[in-house]
Amino acid sequence: NNLQRIPPDIALLKNLVHLDLSGNKLRSLPAELGDMIHLRELLLNNNAFRLLPCELGRLFLLQTLGISGNPLSPDILNMSTEPHGTTKLLTFLLDNLTVCPRPPEREWIQLLPMQRPRSASSYSVMSYNVLCDKYATRPLYGYCPSWALTWDYRKQALLKEILDNSADIISLQEVETDQFYSFFLPELKRIGYDGIFSPKSRAKTMTETERRFVDGCAIFFHKSKFSLVDQYLIEFNQLAMAHAESQGSEDMLNRVMIRDNIGLAALLELKDPSLAGMSSVPQHILVSNAHIHWDPEYCDVKLIQTIMLMSELETILLAAQSERGIGVKTRFHGMPGIPLILCGDLNSLPNSGVFEYLVKGTISIDHMDFLGHNYDTFFDATIRSTSTISSPTGNPELRHPFHMKSSYSQENIGYTNFTYDFKGTIDYIFYSSDFLKPVGILGGVNYEWLKTYKVIGCPNPHFPSDHFPLLCEFELASQH
């Protein structure tokens, strides 16, 4: 066609999959071509290109890039003819693309008036899925430069994010075993933290070398504010196995037991001298950190794991209260007198059964998220250990005794997981509202910045994980 120019407006063809510009007299391409991220095939053969715009590296779904018959450098032409040449060439271009400016700082959202007197004790809590190194691959995150996906780069950016927010309690998910002991724990110990960790249950069946790369959950606390009283591991597959063996349930065996997700909990004592002798203010807190099963097709497993988690946390707190003589009197029969904070990547949206159960404290055994699977014996055993009320259908409900609230609402976070394929809120900081009041939270990432610089997913050079960290400051509420 003897075309000599392609207009930037070609990028308006957002859903174009195949573009053949071969056999023209083109010397250059508009950078906007890199915005056409749905392209699978781009043919530029037999033109007059001496350079390719690095923006083409953003076409991470491209399967074929034809550039033969152009006066390009031999290095570029040779790279394109190698096995997986298109992938190599796109990686090279993306790695050399100029990095966009840093995003604006996330705003602090004050939830309680600034002028009021500070409570006797307040503390901040962070929850952050740090994206385990073995999951940070080019096939999954092809829109991220390869250098920004390396663990050496990301671990320093993750540490900076953690240190900049300087929370008193830090809950991390997807922490590799080796990285907890060789990086996170020593780095945070240097500035006054201590921490606990457990890998996913599969680590028990592995060799020592393999075990190093299993990810898990970690809880860190600043030693100036807290001391560790006890720690607890909640293994959902072990709970499922114990239940299935005693009660018999194929769905429990075949759907829940084969998932090796875990919960971790730390019973902490506050080191605040101003609280001494204040019998109405809790002196302890239980912090739990969980990473729930990821697969959207298994919302029943997510819900069962969450019910197991809350049941175990209730048992832990009631035992701590009776055996250690700690906690305060509560207004509600059966509710532990120790505050609970639950952090985690729950892999569940705010319209899920998991969220409903946590916030409402009840869920019907015929809830749609159970997908009609047979968990009747589990329901019976769980209901026997709690009280029941009737649902509108007349079926009993599963309950937990904590009056939990989420620190964040949809209005002030938008999404916590931000990838090309999925954007949504699945990370949370829940708290027992009888004991704690959120003072403020770290607001969401600036949407206009994401839009302006065409950030289609994370990680990227400015965000070292595909999740955004959550941060909330709490103060203790007196029990009268």
Side-chain angles (χ1 to χ4, degrees):
N1 295 318
N2 292 324
L3 291 176
Q4 296 184 21
R5 179 179 173 272
I6 298 296
D9 283 354
I10 193 171
L12 296 174
L13 301 171
K14 293 181 189 291
N15 297 314
L16 200 64
V17 173
H18 174 93
L19 179 59
D20 188 351
L21 298 173
S22 301
N24 285 289
K25 295 181 177 178
L26 298 171
R27 292 178 176 276
S28 63
L29 289 168
E32 288 78 4
L33 203 61
D35 300 337
M36 301 174 70
I37 55 173
H38 292 103
L39 279 177
R40 296 296 198 278
E41 186 174 43
L42 176 59
L43 303 179
L44 306 172
N45 304 309
N46 302 315
N47 277 283
F49 299 120
R50 294 183 179 279
L51 292 170
L52 295 175
C54 287
E55 284 79 5
L56 293 187
R58 299 183 66 234
L59 303 177
F60 70 102
L61 296 176
L62 201 64
Q63 295 165 1
T64 305
L65 176 58
I67 59 171
S68 63
N70 285 285
L72 291 159
S73 74
D75 289 346
I76 294 291
L77 290 170
N78 291 338
M79 191 186 299
S80 71
T81 59
E82 292 175 6
H84 311 293
T86 293
T87 301
K88 290 178 182 176
L89 189 48
L90 292 175
T91 300
F92 172 80
L93 293 169
L94 185 59
D95 285 354
N96 286 280
L97 181 63
T98 303
V99 175
C100 67
R102 290 193 63 80
E105 294 293 320
R106 292 168 64 183
E107 291 182 11
W108 183 254
I109 300 172
Q110 194 70 22
L111 300 175
L112 294 179
M114 293 279 287
Q115 291 75 25
R116 67 192 221 303
R118 290 294 295 271
S119 78
S121 189
S122 67
Y123 43 83
S124 53
V125 178
M126 172 190 252
S127 186
Y128 195 11
N129 181 323
V130 297
L131 181 59
C132 179
D133 182 37
K134 68 173 176 282
Y135 304 142
T137 62
R138 289 284 295 162
L140 277 178
Y141 304 104
Y143 47 79
C144 180
S146 62
W147 54 266
L149 269 182
T150 64
W151 180 244
D152 281 345
Y153 177 84
R154 290 198 310 110
K155 72 179 183 182
Q156 296 303 331
L158 290 164
L159 184 64
K160 183 178 186 306
E161 185 86 59
I162 292 166
L163 299 185
D164 285 352
N165 287 296
S166 61
D168 301 309
I169 296 167
I170 302 163
S171 292
L172 303 180
Q173 303 88 41
E174 279 194 32
V175 177
E176 237 175 51
T177 300
D178 191 48
Q179 293 305 323
F180 173 79
Y181 292 107
S182 67
F183 179 68
F184 286 108
L185 186 60
E187 287 293 336
L188 289 170
K189 268 191 167 181
R190 286 196 306 113
I191 52 171
Y193 290 89
D194 203 353
I196 63 172
F197 169 81
S198 180
K200 287 177 179 171
S201 303
R202 75 186 71 156
K204 291 179 177 176
T205 64
M206 293 180 163
T207 65
E208 192 171 337
T209 303
E210 293 171 324
R211 200 178 300 142
R212 292 169 50 207
F213 303 106
V214 177
D215 66 288
C217 294
I219 299 172
F220 297 94
F221 54 91
H222 207 282
K223 291 189 289 184
S224 65
K225 285 218 170 187
F226 301 98
S227 58
L228 179 67
V229 178
D230 210 342
Q231 57 182 293
Y232 312 88
L233 173 61
I234 299 155
E235 294 183 282
F236 302 122
N237 66 351
Q238 295 301 308
L239 293 169
M241 188 189 303
H243 177 83
E245 284 177 351
S246 62
Q247 305 291 333
S249 167
E250 282 192 21
D251 284 333
M252 187 64 79
L253 279 171
N254 297 330
R255 293 181 70 81
V256 183
M257 197 193 77
I258 57 174
R259 317 294 166 193
D260 68 342
N261 306 83
I262 61 161
L264 188 63
L267 182 62
L268 302 175
E269 182 173 8
L270 281 83
K271 289 182 175 179
D272 190 336
S274 66
L275 295 178
M278 294 176 66
S279 60
S280 66
V281 179
Q283 316 279 318
H284 296 78
I285 185 167
L286 186 72
V287 179
S288 180
N289 183 16
H291 193 180
I292 298 299
H293 184 57
W294 67 272
D295 193 337
E297 300 297 316
Y298 285 80
C299 53
D300 58 319
V301 174
K302 301 171 198 265
L303 190 46
I304 294 285
Q305 288 181 340
T306 306
I307 292 165
M308 287 175 167
L309 175 66
M310 298 308 284
S311 176
E312 290 298 300
L313 294 176
E314 179 184 358
T315 301
I316 287 166
L317 282 176
L318 290 174
Q321 197 161 333
S322 61
E323 293 167 13
R324 299 177 190 273
I326 61 177
V328 298
K329 289 182 180 177
T330 58
R331 292 168 288 176
F332 302 97
H333 175 70
M335 188 178 79
I338 300 167
L340 171 64
I341 290 178
L342 170 58
C343 302
D345 175 357
L346 305 186
N347 276 309
S348 303
L349 293 163
N351 63 357
S352 65
V354 166
F355 188 91
E356 178 185 333
Y357 171 69
L358 287 171
V359 171
K360 288 186 177 178
T362 65
I363 196 158
S364 171
I365 63 172
D366 60 1
H367 193 281
M368 60 187 290
D369 278 12
F370 289 119
L371 301 177
H373 289 290
N374 184 358
Y375 296 112
D376 289 352
T377 54
F378 170 73
F379 294 154
D380 290 344
T382 305
I383 287 169
R384 275 201 302 275
S385 65
T386 61
S387 56
T388 62
I389 59 172
S390 294
S391 69
T393 61
N395 287 323
E397 295 192 328
L398 301 152
R399 306 187 71 189
H400 68 75
F402 308 102
H403 300 141
M404 304 297 283
K405 288 185 178 177
S406 173
S407 308
Y408 282 80
S409 66
Q410 276 300 105
E411 294 74 46
N412 52 38
I413 189 62
Y415 25 66
T416 64
N417 185 207
F418 189 81
T419 68
Y420 172 69
D421 295 315
F422 176 83
K423 295 169 178 65
T425 297
I426 57 174
D427 304 89
Y428 301 94
I429 300 175
F430 289 99
Y431 63 96
S432 43
S433 58
D434 297 278
F435 299 103
L436 298 166
K437 291 187 287 188
V439 177
I441 53 173
L442 185 64
V445 173
N446 187 288
Y447 177 74
E448 286 305 315
W449 179 87
L450 294 169
K451 191 174 165 185
T452 300
Y453 292 104
K454 301 166 185 171
V455 178
I456 58 171
C458 295
N460 77 8
H462 299 304
F463 293 103
S465 173
D466 56 342
H467 293 250
F468 300 134
L470 305 181
L471 180 69
C472 182
E473 184 183 357
F474 294 100
E475 67 176 25
L476 285 165
S478 177
Q479 303 294 294
H480 297 295

